[in-house]
Amino acid sequence: MAEGLSQAAALLRQASHAVVFTGAGISVESGIPPFRGPGGLWSRVDPSFIEIGRFLADPEGSWRRIKEIFYDFFGPVEAGRGGRARPNAAHFGIAALEAAGRVQAVITQNIDNLHQEAGSREVIEFHGNSRRLLCLECGRREEVRPERLAELPPYCPCGGLLKPDFIFFGEGIPELALKRSYQEASKADLFLIVGSSGEVQPACQIPVLAKSRGAKLVEINLRESNFTPISDVFLQGPATEIVGELVNKLGIK
Ligand code: NAD
């Protein structure tokens, strides 16, 4: 492990364009469960309430589940008012790497807004963000407020149905996020993958593309993933601990 950490720190020091790619694993230590794998949400909850067809057919029923799981339980609504997840040391460490000029962008599959709350600036939201609501009628976006969710389903002032601004099963990746991710994968000479199984399509193609364009891959995960066979350095352990050690090794406060 010590050798892997030194290699990873050296790669970060040498990189001219480093990109962080995160999955649900980075937020597990903030109290947000992953979807798949041990302790995964889908082992307890049927995910059909976030299929787009089901949502449109029964917005009230879907919204009851959505509110309970994504907002009351772990979604940040507003500081101190519902939602209890806060960024952890891994989110803060990645923001510190960016502030120190060691990381140029974060591509996250997560919808929890925790990178932004930790201070990361260049965040590409591959699957959208639960913090915003999108009007399916006029396309307006607004920040989620508890009063908006007092009656379900919530409606836009224009009368249109509001949907969380993250992608549901059956929807495509936001075009701009996809384009920016491909650009980052083409430019990067280093990809740091944190807490991602590499099983979710098409997100899992992004680090593979980066690798094919010559980037080195450093992976942090509790266990081996689909990325491990193509990673140059695999750092096994909890994201908070390993990101913290990397930041220390680079002498970043
Ligand atoms: P995933 O690809 O995001 O996999 C989670 C990975 O995290 C696994 O490989 C697991 O070994 C690893 N992991 C778990 N705890 C860890 C820790 N403490 N430190 C380091 N690694 C850890 O798969 P998923 O959970 O099935 O998610 C599917 C999709 O839904 C992804 O796009 C995911 O980002 C999104 N999702 C987002 C959130 C969120 O916004 N917080 C929560 C669940 C799922």
Side-chain angles (χ1 to χ4, degrees):
M1 173 60 83
E3 197 191 321
L5 269 170
S6 300
Q7 283 174 347
L11 286 171
L12 266 166
R13 247 186 234 112
Q14 289 155 12
S16 57
H17 196 97
V19 173
V20 178
F21 177 88
T22 63
I26 193 169
S27 296
V28 167
E29 292 167 88
S30 288
I32 303 180
F35 286 166
R36 298 176 182 78
L41 195 60
W42 300 155
S43 62
R44 292 180 277 123
V45 175
D46 172 5
S48 60
F49 69 101
I50 50 168
E51 277 166 12
I52 190 67
R54 164 97 179 262
F55 176 78
L56 295 174
D58 177 18
E60 187 184 340
S62 280
W63 254 112
R64 288 200 184 290
R65 267 337 232 153
I66 291 167
K67 179 172 183 289
E68 186 190 334
I69 290 171
F70 291 99
Y71 296 101
D72 296 343
F73 176 53
F74 65 63
V77 173
E78 271 178 54
R81 297 174 69 190
R84 55 183 195 197
R86 298 289 173 261
N88 63 47
H91 298 102
F92 285 117
I94 288 167
L97 288 171
E98 184 183 358
R102 296 285 179 201
V103 157
Q104 274 61 53
V106 177
I107 301 171
T108 187
Q109 300 165 80
N110 296 344
I111 57 169
D112 55 27
N113 205 51
L114 295 183
H115 284 296
Q116 291 89 333
E117 282 183 40
S120 286
R121 290 170 173 270
E122 207 54 43
V123 182
I124 300 171
E125 299 169 341
F126 203 83
H127 290 153
N129 190 323
S130 62
R131 177 67 84 84
R132 293 185 305 264
L133 299 179
L134 167 71
C135 174
L136 296 183
E137 202 59 44
C138 69
R140 187 177 146 271
R141 288 180 163 84
E142 64 174 50
E143 204 171 302
V144 186
R145 300 200 177 280
E147 41 292 9
R148 253 294 182 257
L149 303 184
E151 268 184 51
L152 298 177
Y155 287 101
C156 174
C158 85
L161 176 64
L162 290 170
K163 172 189 167 290
D165 194 16
F166 61 81
I167 62 160
F168 282 19
F169 293 116
E171 292 191 293
I173 304 301
E175 226 171 272
L176 184 62
L178 194 60
K179 188 173 153 205
R180 289 184 64 203
S181 300
Y182 282 136
Q183 285 169 344
E184 290 298 332
S186 303
K187 274 196 275 192
D189 51 4
L190 179 67
F191 247 58
L192 176 62
I193 306 167
V194 186
S196 180
S197 64
E199 287 171 19
V200 178
Q201 290 281 2
C204 63
Q205 298 298 333
I206 302 296
V208 176
L209 174 65
K211 176 86 182 182
S212 75
R213 296 286 173 94
K216 298 276 187 205
L217 303 190
V218 173
E219 182 186 23
I220 298 174
N221 201 309
L222 281 183
R223 54 190 74 85
E224 293 194 2
S225 77
N226 285 353
F227 296 122
T228 316
I230 59 163
S231 292
D232 297 278
V233 180
F234 175 59
L235 302 171
Q236 187 162 16
T240 51
E241 200 177 291
I242 310 253
V243 172
E245 288 185 39
L246 259 182
V247 168
N248 285 341
K249 265 210 172 297
L250 289 163
I252 295 166
K253 295 279 169 240

